[in-house]
């Protein structure tokens, strides 16, 4: 094995070589440890220091056949090695010990060529054997985090009629939860065998559930677990269904091809339903990932290459295409005509360019790596008069973390802003009143934006100013797969599902996070009403002290009412969802209990330090005090604190005897002396008799 490098000051390469007995099949380099691992034909894995060529710094023994592949697990400082006898070993580099051995059962033939790749970010190991590919996924380490499903959750819905949350996972399981308490009430297992449920939808009356699976079928269920119809989407093949759009007369399916799959409800007279032809044909240049509908007849579809095609749902014909790059290129062409997608004959023209040269430039500019992929589309249906007053009526999001606002009537991109940076594609959801936009990324972060007054008017120039950010928090530790907004008791709730097997619900304006499946059930309506009452009370108390605050600031949780102030050190705090909080105790005690039981949680959540309402007090310079005269008792100490001479205490006379006292009393009452003497004699006689009786009794006893 030969290493070569070029120093900055010299043109020639410097080389060094390692002599390895019998040769090697492969090698890998660990930059942090500065080690090279070689897969030896002599059944050994050698570890080399690049500056020591005489001998390896470590030798890993254990394989019984020649090693054909090695790769470092950089984060854990471990090493994978694979031998010709199809044995995979995981080594601890520090102790040079084998900590795990896995024997593969395929391929059957002994002659094969192996390729080896470890995706460290997701913990997946890929091994190819000629025309076969093996995938080994690392199990996530056991933690105390609450899980709603046994496997990764793929989709979540809210049934406003029954007030229930419906969730699905990759294990083909559908669960039903009560939104008020978080209690699971029913569960359907094996809905599509072992195939993953990728998406779900409810019909217009919210009495039927549609589940789409990677087995190429869509099933229609009632809430008792009975399957009424099976829609054959993939023509008996495995497909990736990304969205099911249920309209009045049709069901549209997107996800794995450039055309829309159509099912007409009037033909639902059998159990197995076949798809029908979409009259508009193929207009996208890549797979369609999402769709949205605006009554009465406007349909929008977004694809992997960033195109948004507008259709007339009644005629099923496309009439325009939107793309952020098209807008930029058209601006640079002053002589460009208004863009049109299709001619009057409905021919399949490609891009809305006025001439061929412009189209070639545009085709070259289109990103094919998914950086502009459209993952979600939403029409702003609450904005009624957009066609007359102007403004955005369509929102898209996807690749590179961008959110875009479009005016479909003027065919114009009005705004785009970076909602999440460095996380790839994102998803989103919008409430029915079009006041709040919620975005979720691959790292488990959710952001809530106020779009009530965003892009209400059309403008010639595209804006990159982001709307007001209300909250940014991390309820999950893995990719957010679905977001749903619903209204309960006059408060807006956000329901999110993730690949970390959990489903969370939280209020738009508060910091409390509840996880479906936690041990203690909650009473969300009581908590929301208490929180709302406390917020109003606190607003009334601080109204005089605080001159003005925006709606987003006053909407925060009462215990964190001033979280918008930035820390000087930009410190990052983490908050654990309130899975250990007993929501049945009183409101004031609950927050005290919450502070005691709060623990640090995975991930990062940027929460600023809260400051109390005392920040609104104005504290000025203290007034100077006037000179104070000393009191008189300090000036004349002798007068007030001198010792007084001791006075002689009078002698107490001796008390008279009892007989004299009695004589005096009787004398005052004018009694005769004879009577007094008679009484004294009787008393003496009685005492003598008593003493005589006592002596007689003592003699008898002795």
């Amino acid at each position: 094995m030969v290493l070569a490098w070029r120093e900055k000051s010299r043109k020639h390469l410097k080389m060094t070589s390692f002599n390895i007995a019998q040769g090697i099949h492969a090698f890998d380099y660990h930059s942090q440890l500065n080690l090279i691992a070689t897969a030896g034909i002599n059944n050994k894995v050698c570890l080399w220091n690049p500056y020591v060529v005489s001998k390896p710094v470590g030798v890993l023994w254990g394989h019984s056949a020649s090693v054909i592949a090695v790769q470092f697990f950089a984060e854990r400082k471990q090493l994978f090695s694979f031998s010709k006898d199809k044995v995979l070993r995981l080594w601890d580099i520090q102790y040079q010990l084998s900590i795990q051995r896995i024997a593969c059962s395929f391929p059957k033939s002994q002659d094969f060529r192996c390729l080896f790749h470890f995706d460290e970010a997701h913990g997946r190991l890929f091994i190819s054997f000629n025309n076969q590919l093996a995938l080994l996924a690392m199990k996530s380490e056991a933690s105390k985090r609450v899980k709603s499903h046994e496997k990764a959750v793929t989709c979540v819905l809210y049934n406003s009629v029954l007030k229930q949350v419906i969730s699905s996972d990759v294990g083909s399981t559908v669960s039903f939860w009560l939104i008020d308490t978080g209690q699971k009430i029913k569960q359907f297992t094996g809905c599509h065998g072992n195939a993953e449920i990728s998406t779900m939808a409810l019909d217009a009356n919210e009495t039927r559930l549609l589940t789409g699976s990677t087995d190429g079928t869509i099933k229609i269920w009632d809430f008792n677990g009975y399957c009424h119809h099976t829609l054959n989407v993939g023509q008996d093949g495995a497909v990736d269904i990304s969205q099911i759009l249920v309209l009045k007369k049709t069901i549209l399916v997107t996800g794995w091809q450039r055309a829309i799959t159509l099912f007409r409800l009037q033909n639902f007279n059998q159990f197995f339903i076949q798809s029908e032809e979409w009259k508009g044909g193929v207009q996208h240049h890549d797979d369609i990932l999402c769709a949205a509908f605006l009554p009465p007849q406007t349909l929008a579809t977004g694809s992997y290459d960033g195109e948004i095609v507008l259709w007339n749902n009644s005629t099923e014909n496309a009439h325009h295409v939107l793309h952020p790059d098209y807008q930029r290129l058209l601006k640079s062409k002053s002589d460009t005509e208004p863009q049109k997608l299709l001619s009057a004959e409905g021919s399949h023209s490609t891009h809305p360019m006025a001439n061929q040269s412009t189209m070639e430039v545009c085709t070259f500019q289109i990103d094919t790596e998914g950086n502009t992929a459209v993952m979600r589309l939403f029409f702003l249906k609450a904005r009624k008069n957009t066609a007359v007053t102007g403004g955005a009526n369509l929102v898209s999001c996807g690749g590179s973390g961008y959110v875009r606002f479009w005016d479909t009537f003027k065919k114009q991109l009005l705004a785009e802003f970076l909602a999440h940076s460095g996380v790839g594609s994102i998803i989103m959801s919008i409430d029915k009143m079009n006041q709040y936009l919620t975005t979720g990324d691959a790292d488990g972060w959710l952001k809530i934006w106020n779009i009530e007054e965003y892009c209400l008017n059309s403008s010639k120039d595209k804006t990159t100013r982001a709307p007001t950010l209300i909250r940014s928090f991390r309820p999950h530790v893995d990719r957010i797969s679905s977001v749903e907004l619903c209204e309960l008791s006059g408060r807006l709730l956000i329901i999110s599902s993730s690949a970390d097997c959990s489903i969370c619900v939280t209020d738009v304006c508060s910091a409390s996070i509840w996880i479906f499946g936690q041990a203690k059930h909650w009473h969300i309506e009581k908590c929301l009403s208490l929180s709302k009452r406390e917020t109003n009370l606190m607003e009334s108390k601080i109204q005089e002290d605080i001159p003005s605050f925006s709606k987003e600031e006053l909407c925060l949780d009462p215990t964190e009412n001033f979280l918008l102030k930035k820390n000087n050190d930009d410190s990052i705090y983490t908050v654990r969802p309130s899975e250990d909080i007993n929501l049945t105790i009183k409101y004031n005690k609950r927050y005290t209990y919450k502070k005691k039981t709060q623990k640090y949680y995975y991930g990062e959540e940027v929460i600023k330090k809260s400051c109390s309402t005392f920040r609104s007090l104005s504290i000025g310079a203290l007034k100077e005090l006037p000179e104070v005269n000393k009191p008189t008792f300090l000036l004349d100490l002798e007068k007030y604190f001198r010792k007084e001479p001791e006075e002689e205490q009078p002698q107490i006379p001796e008390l008279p005897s009892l007989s004299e006292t009695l004589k005096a009393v009787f004398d005052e009452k004018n009694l005769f002396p004879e009577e007094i003497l008679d009484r004294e004699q009787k008393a003496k006689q009685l005492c003598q008799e008593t003493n005589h009786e006592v002596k007689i009794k003592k003699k008898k006893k002795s």
Side-chain angles (χ1 to χ4, degrees):
M1 184 175 61
V2 179
L3 299 182
W5 67 93
R6 176 181 284 119
E7 295 181 353
K8 293 182 179 179
S9 60
R10 299 183 180 181
K11 296 182 180 179
H12 299 288
L13 291 174
K14 280 192 171 184
M15 292 189 297
T16 183
S17 60
F18 300 88
N19 295 322
I20 303 170
Q22 301 181 13
I24 61 173
H25 282 116
F27 67 91
D28 192 21
Y29 175 65
H30 196 299
S31 58
Q32 297 177 0
L33 298 177
N34 197 26
L35 285 178
I36 300 173
T38 57
I41 297 176
N42 56 358
N43 307 349
K44 296 186 293 185
V45 177
C46 295
L47 302 176
W48 302 83
N49 187 322
Y51 302 104
V52 180
V53 298
S54 59
K55 63 178 181 179
V57 296
V59 179
L60 307 180
W61 301 81
H63 284 286
S64 57
S66 61
V67 186
I68 57 178
V70 288
Q71 185 167 351
F72 280 105
F73 190 169
E75 183 180 359
R76 297 188 180 184
K77 297 180 181 179
Q78 297 173 350
L79 177 71
F80 287 102
S81 63
F82 189 72
S83 58
K84 265 194 171 182
D85 57 355
K86 306 164 195 172
V87 173
L88 174 71
R89 285 185 179 271
L90 179 63
W91 306 84
D92 185 283
I93 300 174
Q94 182 179 359
Y95 297 101
Q96 299 183 11
L97 294 175
S98 176
I99 59 178
Q100 192 171 4
R101 179 185 181 275
I102 302 174
C104 302
S105 58
F106 60 90
K108 295 181 179 179
S109 63
Q110 295 297 325
D111 187 15
F112 62 89
R113 184 173 182 270
C114 173
L115 293 176
F116 200 80
H117 174 70
F118 178 59
D119 182 7
E120 189 168 336
H122 299 90
R124 295 177 178 179
L125 180 65
F126 298 89
I127 307 175
S128 68
F129 305 96
N130 296 338
N131 61 344
Q132 293 179 321
L133 181 65
L135 169 62
L136 286 82
M138 298 179 64
K139 282 188 177 181
S140 58
E141 294 182 355
S143 63
K144 295 181 180 180
R145 180 175 174 81
V146 177
K147 292 184 178 181
S148 308
H149 282 251
E150 292 295 329
K151 297 184 178 180
V153 186
T154 56
C155 186
V156 65
L157 297 174
Y158 177 67
N159 189 318
S160 59
V161 177
L162 302 176
K163 293 185 178 181
Q164 295 177 4
V165 175
I166 308 172
S167 58
S168 62
D169 61 18
V170 297
S172 198
T173 299
V174 176
S175 299
F176 294 78
W177 315 80
L178 292 177
I179 186 68
D180 187 43
T181 62
Q183 179 184 0
K184 183 192 290 187
I185 55 174
K186 65 179 80 170
Q187 180 175 290
F188 304 155
T189 58
C191 296
H192 291 263
N194 295 323
E196 171 187 341
I197 298 177
S198 56
T199 186
M200 297 189 298
L202 292 170
D203 66 346
N205 299 325
E206 300 186 8
T207 58
R208 292 288 185 269
L209 175 67
L210 289 81
T211 58
S213 174
T214 54
D215 62 359
T217 64
I218 293 176
K219 293 186 178 182
I220 302 177
W221 310 80
D222 59 21
F223 295 144
N224 293 322
Y226 179 74
C227 181
H228 292 266
H229 301 283
T230 297
L231 313 184
N232 189 1
V233 179
Q235 303 299 326
D236 299 327
V239 297
D240 187 11
I241 301 173
S242 61
Q243 186 173 350
I244 304 171
L245 189 62
V246 182
L247 304 180
K248 286 186 177 180
K249 298 181 180 180
T250 58
I251 296 176
L252 307 180
V253 186
T254 63
W256 76 103
Q257 59 181 3
R258 295 179 296 160
I260 299 174
T261 304
L262 171 68
F263 295 91
R264 302 187 189 277
L265 297 179
Q266 62 185 11
N267 299 328
F268 279 34
N269 49 13
Q270 297 179 355
F271 182 78
F272 291 100
I273 310 297
Q274 299 297 328
S275 61
E276 300 185 26
E277 183 182 0
W278 177 259
K279 296 177 183 178
V282 178
Q283 302 302 335
H284 282 276
H285 293 81
D286 213 325
D287 294 344
I288 303 175
L289 302 181
C290 57
F293 180 72
L294 178 66
Q297 58 189 12
T298 304
L299 176 68
T301 54
S303 59
Y304 185 78
D305 57 1
E307 288 184 342
I308 300 175
V309 178
L310 302 179
W311 308 76
N312 185 319
N313 187 56
S314 300
T315 61
E316 299 180 6
N317 290 324
H319 58 82
H320 214 282
V321 67
L322 303 173
H323 195 287
D325 290 337
Y326 297 166
Q327 301 289 332
R328 179 174 55 80
L329 290 171
L330 286 173
K331 270 191 170 184
S332 63
K333 299 288 181 178
S334 58
D335 58 341
T336 304
E337 299 176 1
Q339 61 259 51
K340 290 185 178 180
L341 174 66
L342 300 174
S343 62
E345 293 79 14
S347 61
H348 302 336
S349 62
T350 55
H351 299 294
M353 298 292 114
N355 49 54
Q356 185 66 22
S357 61
T358 309
M359 189 186 76
E360 290 176 358
V361 176
C362 179
T363 305
F364 178 78
Q365 292 289 336
I366 294 177
D367 184 17
T368 57
E369 295 184 359
N371 293 329
T372 58
V374 183
M375 303 300 297
R376 294 290 189 275
L377 282 172
F378 280 93
F379 275 107
L380 301 176
K381 299 178 182 179
R383 300 184 179 184
K384 299 293 184 182
N385 300 323
T386 310
V388 179
T389 61
N393 66 336
L394 178 66
V395 186
S396 66
C397 77
S400 300
Y402 276 90
V403 177
R404 296 179 173 89
F405 284 72
W406 306 83
D407 185 351
T408 59
F409 297 102
K410 295 184 178 180
K411 314 300 185 292
Q412 184 182 1
L413 175 62
L414 299 182
E416 68 174 359
F417 65 93
L418 182 63
H420 300 258
S421 60
V423 292
S425 62
I426 61 174
I427 62 172
M428 69 175 180
S429 184
I430 299 176
D431 66 311
K432 293 182 179 180
M433 300 304 296
N434 302 154
Q435 294 180 350
Y436 299 101
L437 164 71
T438 303
T439 56
D441 61 24
D443 289 338
W445 283 86
L446 277 179
K447 292 186 179 182
I448 306 173
W449 314 81
N450 187 351
I451 60 169
E452 187 176 5
E453 299 179 357
Y454 188 72
C455 288
L456 292 178
N457 301 314
S458 298
S459 61
K460 295 182 180 179
D461 298 327
K462 177 186 70 177
T463 180
T464 57
R465 177 183 61 87
T468 304
L469 178 62
I470 300 175
R471 283 183 68 191
S472 177
F473 59 103
R474 192 184 188 191
H476 302 282
V477 296
D478 206 340
R479 176 182 59 87
I480 294 179
S481 57
S482 181
V483 181
E484 187 84 359
L485 271 72
C486 65
E487 186 175 350
L488 185 68
S489 301
R491 299 291 291 270
L492 195 64
L493 301 179
I494 300 172
I495 307 169
S496 59
S497 64
S498 171
D500 65 359
C501 308
S502 68
I503 308 165
C504 296
V505 60
T506 182
D507 186 12
V508 168
C509 301
S510 69
S512 298
I513 300 174
W514 302 288
I515 302 179
F516 289 92
Q518 67 184 40
K520 297 179 181 178
H521 296 159
W522 61 78
H523 298 281
I524 199 166
E525 292 187 358
K526 294 181 181 179
C527 295
L528 291 178
S529 60
L530 286 172
S531 179
K532 188 174 182 180
R533 190 187 313 162
E534 188 73 11
T535 305
N536 296 334
L537 180 62
M538 196 162 192
E539 288 177 8
S540 62
K541 284 183 179 180
I542 65 177
Q543 190 173 7
E544 297 179 358
D545 294 334
I546 300 175
S548 62
F549 280 98
S550 63
K551 182 186 297 183
E552 287 74 26
E553 290 180 54
L554 293 177
C555 192
L556 293 175
D557 190 89
T559 60
E560 305 174 13
N561 206 21
F562 301 103
L563 297 182
L564 297 179
K565 185 177 180 182
K566 244 186 178 180
N567 293 333
N568 295 329
D569 56 353
D570 291 332
S571 56
I572 296 176
Y573 287 85
T574 56
V575 171
R576 183 180 180 87
S578 56
E579 58 189 65
D580 297 327
I581 297 176
N582 187 357
L583 299 177
T584 59
I585 61 180
K586 291 185 178 180
Y587 184 79
N588 294 332
K589 293 182 180 178
R590 176 159 54 91
Y591 281 100
T592 305
Y593 181 74
K594 180 179 179 181
K595 290 179 181 178
K596 292 180 181 179
T597 57
Q598 188 175 6
K599 300 176 182 177
Y600 285 107
Y601 176 56
Y602 299 103
E604 300 170 351
E605 175 182 2
V606 182
I607 292 186
K608 291 81 180 176
K609 289 180 179 178
S610 61
C611 55
S612 65
T613 55
F614 291 106
R615 75 169 188 176
S616 63
L617 296 177
S618 59
I619 302 175
L622 296 176
K623 295 181 180 180
E624 293 184 1
L625 295 175
E627 292 186 3
V628 180
N629 297 327
K630 291 184 177 181
T632 56
F633 68 86
L634 291 177
L635 297 176
D636 192 358
L637 296 175
E638 185 178 356
K639 179 181 178 181
Y640 289 92
F641 299 101
R642 67 184 177 186
K643 293 183 178 180
E644 296 291 337
E646 296 182 358
E647 297 181 356
E648 294 183 358
Q649 296 181 355
Q651 293 183 355
I652 301 174
E654 294 183 359
L655 295 175
S657 63
L658 179 62
S659 60
E660 294 178 355
T661 305
L662 292 175
K663 287 180 181 180
V665 173
F666 286 114
D667 289 341
E668 290 179 359
K669 292 186 178 181
N670 300 321
L671 294 177
F672 293 101
E674 293 82 5
E675 294 178 356
I676 296 174
L677 292 173
D678 187 31
R679 290 182 181 178
E680 289 180 356
Q681 290 177 359
K682 288 183 178 180
K684 288 180 180 180
Q685 185 178 357
L686 181 62
C687 291
Q688 290 176 359
E689 292 177 355
T690 304
N691 293 333
H692 182 69
E693 291 178 356
V694 171
K695 290 179 181 179
I696 293 172
K697 288 181 179 179
K698 287 182 178 181
K699 287 181 180 180
K700 287 181 178 180
K701 287 183 178 179
S702 59

